[in-house]
Amino acid sequence: MSSVDAKLSPARDGGKPSIIERYRRYLPVTEKTCIISLQEGDTPLIRARNLERYLGSLKGTLSSPEVYLKYEGANPTGSFKDRGMTMAITKAVEEGTTGVICASTGNTSASAAAYAARASIPCFVVIPQGKIAMGKLAQAVMHGARVIAVRGNFDQALTIVREAAERLGLTLVNSLNPYRIDGQMSVAWEVVDALGAAPEFHFLPVGNAGNITAHWRGYNAYRSAGKIQARPRLMGFQAAGSAPIVLGHRVEDPQTIATAIRIGNPASWQSAVAARDESGGIIDKVTDDQIVEAYRLIASLEGVFAEPASAASVAGLIQTWLCGEPKLEGRIVCTLTGHGLKDPERAIASAVVPTEVDADFAAVAREIENRER
Ligand code: F0G
């Protein structure tokens, strides 16, 4: 047995089944495939009744659509990337890779580093210098990836790693790798399995556009398998300063506080547009202020801590609800792509700072009484 064989089946080892085991029939694996897994997937789908009431209050009505949060921050490395990475690394190992490489705004690198560590293969990650959240960098270095920070943005990093993969014989594990999309389809399957049908609308952030592509392919695969008839309208949201798909042209110097989606030339641009059009959905933009507002609302109203980029989905929901077009009805799912703890600096900057007092009961009690007033 190789070192990889010993780790191949979480279910057999007493853990929860990996997404590859659960959805084996929809994925390009065989009985012989050694699965590299951290027990990803099976993330919470949380009914957001407080958020529903909030939406109602914005329009002075008690009625609002049913809203669910698909909390991808509950994956092993804290983002949806693990769904694709278990497939990409599993197949890379199966195909005898010598090492993997990716460009990343942070989450892909954290996930690639973790799964590569588990598979005992080298991992190289290229990130935009100074523009990734601290938690994500911490993960990549702790999992032993070789981290290279380029003085440039994500789009430049992606161009470089594509060439590096080609010329240096490494496996590219960005979402250009089709196995990444295969694994990420599982989010749609889990939503349908939980709700018993597809939702009417599915909101999500859009960066490099692999995930909206995967959501759509996932719903389509379930339709082909006869599991659903209707599919949701996909509602994708980019940050206003990084909104190439909305603008219809590349953005040379993308900007947004939501660093995960600070992307000016998405790799899966065409398939995102196809997903939008075929589903009858939209791809629109939300400002950083809207993102921060939604980020705080999700945490304070629902107890769900998601990173800023994730909040673009809920910011998009609020925007769409207020403008009334398209009319929102039925069940709505918002994918929250990553965990809030990835970016603690942004959280502290966005919240009320702690009050500092002397270490005695009276001082603390005074503060509590002040707050209650
Ligand atoms: N949300 C988060 C938290 C992300 O990390 C990303 C992408 C997205 C949304 C957008 O997904 O690219 O499939 O449209 N992060 C990539 C990375 C680019 O390198 O971690 P997408």
Side-chain angles (χ1 to χ4, degrees):
M1 248 199 192
S2 77
S3 62
V4 163
D5 292 338
K7 305 164 184 162
L8 85 190
S9 170
R12 200 198 52 196
D13 293 340
K16 77 177 183 190
S18 68
I19 55 163
I20 298 182
E21 288 167 295
R22 285 167 54 212
Y23 296 113
R24 179 182 285 283
R25 86 182 73 144
Y26 304 106
L27 295 169
V29 291
T30 69
E31 286 302 319
K32 292 213 188 86
T33 305
C34 298
I35 299 169
I36 311 294
S37 169
L38 287 163
Q39 301 179 28
E40 55 293 313
D42 197 17
T43 54
L45 183 70
I46 303 166
R47 176 82 185 265
R49 291 182 191 273
N50 293 331
L51 187 57
E52 289 170 15
R53 276 190 279 274
Y54 172 81
L55 290 175
S57 75
L58 289 176
K59 287 193 184 177
T61 153
L62 286 178
S63 71
S64 99
E66 263 177 49
V67 179
Y68 295 82
L69 306 174
K70 182 64 173 162
Y71 186 38
E72 291 291 279
N75 275 298
T77 77
S79 86
F80 72 97
K81 305 287 178 178
D82 295 345
R83 295 180 182 277
M85 206 55 74
T86 181
M87 271 301 297
I89 300 289
T90 291
K91 294 303 282 189
V93 169
E94 189 169 69
E95 290 163 9
T97 190
T98 55
V100 297
I101 187 166
C102 64
S104 183
T105 57
N107 282 322
T108 298
S109 59
S111 186
Y115 284 80
R118 201 151 166 77
S120 314
I121 55 173
C123 177
F124 301 90
V125 306
V126 181
I127 55 168
Q129 203 267 323
K131 295 291 184 190
I132 85 166
M134 208 45 84
K136 304 173 187 180
L137 185 58
Q139 290 177 287
V141 295
M142 280 301 287
H143 294 307
R146 179 85 173 83
V147 179
I148 304 159
V150 292
R151 290 185 282 272
N153 60 33
F154 170 83
D155 303 296
Q156 293 166 301
L158 185 59
T159 305
I160 294 165
V161 298
R162 288 175 84 156
E163 185 175 348
E166 182 89 25
R167 294 182 46 181
L168 307 178
L170 295 164
T171 306
L172 185 68
V173 293
N174 280 102
S175 54
L176 289 158
N177 179 326
Y179 300 128
R180 279 275 315 276
I181 305 287
D182 287 341
Q184 284 175 213
M185 290 195 290
S186 60
V187 70
W189 305 334
E190 286 182 11
V191 166
V192 172
D193 291 350
L195 295 179
E200 271 67 27
F201 292 87
H202 196 138
F203 285 73
L204 73 164
V206 174
N208 212 24
N211 210 25
I212 190 168
T213 303
H215 276 64
W216 187 233
R217 292 206 185 136
Y219 284 115
N220 281 315
Y222 251 27
R223 194 175 67 153
S224 302
K227 291 244 182 193
I228 50 171
Q229 272 139 27
R231 296 165 298 176
R233 295 167 79 167
L234 291 192
M235 310 289 281
F237 289 84
Q238 302 197 291
S242 307
I245 301 178
V246 183
L247 299 172
H249 60 77
R250 284 184 197 186
V251 175
E252 292 304 328
D253 184 21
Q255 296 298 341
T256 170
I257 56 110
T259 51
I261 51 171
R262 186 172 167 269
I263 294 174
N265 185 22
S268 299
W269 190 320
Q270 297 311 328
S271 50
V273 168
R276 175 194 70 191
D277 296 345
E278 289 167 21
S279 76
I282 60 173
I283 296 180
D284 205 343
K285 57 187 162 83
V286 282
T287 65
D288 280 3
D289 285 350
Q290 288 173 284
I291 289 173
V292 170
E293 174 69 10
Y295 170 61
R296 294 166 55 170
L297 277 173
I298 307 159
S300 62
L301 289 179
E302 298 293 355
V304 177
F305 194 18
E307 66 172 285
S310 306
S313 61
V314 171
L317 166 62
I318 296 169
Q319 174 169 290
T320 310
W321 170 249
L322 284 176
C323 93
E325 188 53 45
K327 186 167 187 295
L328 298 178
E329 48 201 354
R331 293 193 285 194
I332 293 180
V333 173
C334 295
T335 300
L336 297 179
T337 44
H339 203 294
L341 286 173
K342 296 259 186 183
D343 195 353
E345 287 163 331
R346 175 59 55 192
I348 303 291
S350 310
V352 180
V353 289
T355 318
E356 200 179 304
V357 298
D358 290 336
D360 64 62
F361 170 78
V364 174
R366 223 171 10 249
E367 278 306 310
I368 293 170
E369 279 158 12
N370 280 342
R371 293 277 166 97
E372 278 178 351
R373 248 183 258 135

